[in-house]
Structures are given as C-alpha cells and as structure tokens.
Amino acid sequence: NNRGVGGTGSNNRVSGNFIGSAGKFQDPNSFAGVLFADGATGNIIGTDSDGQGDTQEGNLISSNGYAGIYLEFANNTVIRGNIIGLNPQGNAVLGNANSGIVVADSPGTKIGGPGQVDANIVSGNGVNGIALTGSGSKDLAIINNTVGLLSDGTTKAGNGTNGIVIGNYAASSLHWDYARHPWVGGPTQVTIFNNTISGNGAGVVINSNTQFGSKASAITVSENRIGVSVDGTRLISNTGPGVLVDSSFDNILEGNTIASSSGIGVRVVGPLSAGNMIKGNRIETTGSSAVVVDSALQTSILGNWVASPGFSAINIIDAIGTVVGSSTSGNTIAAGTTGVSLSGGSLKIGRAHV
C-alpha cells in the first residue's frame, strides 16, 4: 500500500496495530505507515491514556518506505505509546526509510505525554527521528519520548541524521511541495520537554531558511537528557551538537542535561539567530567547547554548569551582544576548563564561578 492507515477523517483512533512490520514478517507501505492530512482533526495514534488497557494500545510502526507517521495539514493529532522504527520487543532496529514522525503544517500536535504509557520510542529511522516543519506547525508538544535508543534506555539505536529537527533541515529531507507549503513563517510555540535524545547525528536542531523566509522561533527545549541514557547515568553521545540553533530566534534552552564525547554541547550560529537564551543547563563535553556562539546576536548564557576539559567552556566568535552570567545568575565553569574565549564581536560578562 501507499499508506497503511489514515486519510482525511477526524476523531479516529489507530491503536494496537503492526504497521509495516510485525517483526518476523515485513509488509512495508511505500510511503507512510500512518498518514492523516487535509483537515483531519482530533485523531489519536496509539493510547488514549484513559487507564483502560493503555499498555496494549500502542502501535508498532516500522519498515515503511518513507515515514512511520506523516501528518500534513492535520489538526490536534495525539501520538502516544508507539514504537516507531524498532521491532515489537524494542531491542532491534527495523527503521522507516526516512523519518519516524513528520509533522508538516499541522497545529496542535502532541507527541508523547506525562505518563509512562504515553511515551513513544522513535529510533533507528533512516533520517530524522521527529521532523517538524511548515508555518502551520504551531502549539506543538514533544514530551517524555525516547529518541535514538532501544527500549532498554541504554543501547544506541540512533536515527540517521537528527533526533528532533524543527524548520528547514526537516523540509530539505522530505518530499516537500512548495506550492502546498509556502515559506512564510515557520514552526513556532513548540515545547520539547523531558525527552531522552541520544545516539543520533545532532540531538535537537532548530533551523530557519533565510532564502525562502522560513523562520523557526519560540521553541522551548527544557529538562531533556541529551547525549545520555534514559536514567542519565551513561554517556551515549550524539555525534553532532547536542542542540543546534541555526538562524532562529527567541528560543529557550533551559534545565537540560547535555553531554558529548565528540561534538559541541550547544551551538548558536548565524546573524538571524537573535535573542536566544541558554539557562540553567548542565553541559559537559570532552571533545569540544560546551557552548559555541558564532555570529549570533543577543545570546544570553545564564546559570549553567559547564565543563569541557582542554577547551574553552564558552566560545564566542564574531557574536554581538552576548551576555555571559548576571549578578543573580552566574555560570559555573568546572575545574580544568578554560572559561570564556572571545574572538571578535562583543561580550558582557556578569558573574562566573571558575
């Protein structure tokens, strides 16, 4: 089939299915395992979290020819309790050829939720784990999911490119129809909270397309574990930055644990990256600087604990108006780490503990 389940209908529930693969037997759909589009509203993919049989209501969505789940102009979709890209036991990779979940111009989408049964596992997919794009993608939430690990929470099963990507990087890897999805605005009012995002290329990417006017903004990335196991005790690095903000503005990175043995912890780059805040995170890298701000404007770095032995903890390159610490919210820079490096631009240092 072109798609396994879906359409343009509303208030449907897709639960307890094997879509694209039953593990031993594979019957992939050529495009998407589940697709809702063109005004479909209020559909649930997985559990309804009503306390009745919730653990049996998730779907296995793997081995499909493009995406596991694809939403396009769909409203208020809930995706909870599914395994996307692994086998039924969650201990081996089957993948979907492109991305695990694609959300294109689909407001109100909720991926995961507060309870253990709400969490999706999105791992082993060919390109992105979760991709959000299009100016209609507003008021979205990604909560309490595992992206890039097996179900044991400690074994790497990375998505091929990024764990979670918001903006142009997502569109560039999709079958994007520019007539249906004009570049005006971009994803905004997105919350990424309490997820484990490890073992991928980059962990979280927030990106805009300056050529076409797509601007991802007002993304909150908070209290996630990025580059570590679900319990936070083991290093499972993403190979790229833990969080990359590229030509995007007014984003908040707060209260995350970000670790890497190779890449940068947080990188903010580009003159259209303005007004971003990096606050209250624990960022530890051993192969590069913990935080790099490159050619960006008015970045605030406040109240973080940072360590990058042998490197500058915070590296400012041709960035204007960067604030590192304040009288009430200083950064702590661990022993054996150079403090702040400035190469061009301007910098205001408030308070730091070195």
Side-chain angles (χ1 to χ4, degrees), residues 210-226:
T210 56
Q211 179 181 357
F212 294 102
S214 172
K215 299 179 177 68
S217 63
I219 314 299
T220 299
V221 181
S222 64
E223 298 186 35
N224 300 282
R225 296 159 298 282
I226 301 173

Side-chain angles (χ1 to χ4, degrees), residues 2 30 71 75 80 85 100 110 156 192 197 218 242 278 288 312 354:
N2 180 262
S30 61
L71 305 179
N75 306 307
R80 290 178 175 164
K110 303 296 185 284
K156 179 178 177 179
I192 301 172
I197 308 161
I278 305 166
S288 184
S312 298
V354 181

Side-chain angles (χ1 to χ4, degrees), residues 202-246:
V204 178
V205 177
I206 305 168
N207 170 260
S208 298
N209 186 308
T210 56
Q211 179 181 357
F212 294 102
S214 172
K215 299 179 177 68
S217 63
I219 314 299
T220 299
V221 181
S222 64
E223 298 186 35
N224 300 282
R225 296 159 298 282
I226 301 173
V228 296
S229 57
V230 169
D231 65 7
T233 63
R234 300 187 187 185
L235 178 66
I236 310 173
S237 297
N238 298 287
T239 57
V243 180
L244 171 62
V245 178
D246 184 354

Side-chain angles (χ1 to χ4, degrees), residues 25-157:
F25 303 101
Q26 298 188 32
D27 187 15
N29 300 285
S30 61
F31 185 69
V34 180
L35 184 151
F36 284 109
D38 296 333
T41 300
N43 294 295
I44 298 173
I45 304 169
T47 181
D48 59 5
S49 302
D50 67 353
Q52 304 295 318
D54 293 338
T55 59
Q56 306 303 314
E57 293 172 351
N59 302 283
L60 176 79
I61 307 172
S62 300
S63 301
N64 295 288
Y66 183 66
I69 297 172
Y70 192 96
L71 305 179
E72 184 178 40
F73 298 113
N75 306 307
N76 301 320
T77 306
V78 174
I79 303 170
R80 290 178 175 164
N82 304 284
I83 296 176
I84 303 170
L86 302 180
N87 68 353
Q89 296 74 33
N91 61 12
V93 169
L94 298 176
N96 292 284
N98 190 280
S99 297
I101 301 173
V102 175
V103 179
D105 278 311
S106 295
T109 303
K110 303 296 185 284
I111 301 172
Q116 185 175 354
V117 297
D118 301 326
N120 301 284
I121 302 174
V122 188
S123 301
N125 298 287
V127 183
N128 304 302
I130 301 172
L132 313 179
T133 194
S135 59
S137 290
K138 300 178 180 179
D139 187 25
L140 311 182
I142 302 173
I143 299 173
N144 195 30
N145 304 283
T146 298
V147 182
L149 303 176
L150 296 180
S151 61
D152 62 10
T154 61
T155 304
K156 179 178 177 179

Side-chain angles (χ1 to χ4, degrees), residues 220-224 252-256 277-281 304:
T220 299
V221 181
S222 64
E223 298 186 35
N224 300 282
I252 298 172
L253 316 179
E254 184 171 12
N256 302 284
M277 178 176 290
I278 305 166
K279 181 179 181 181
N281 303 280
N304 302 281

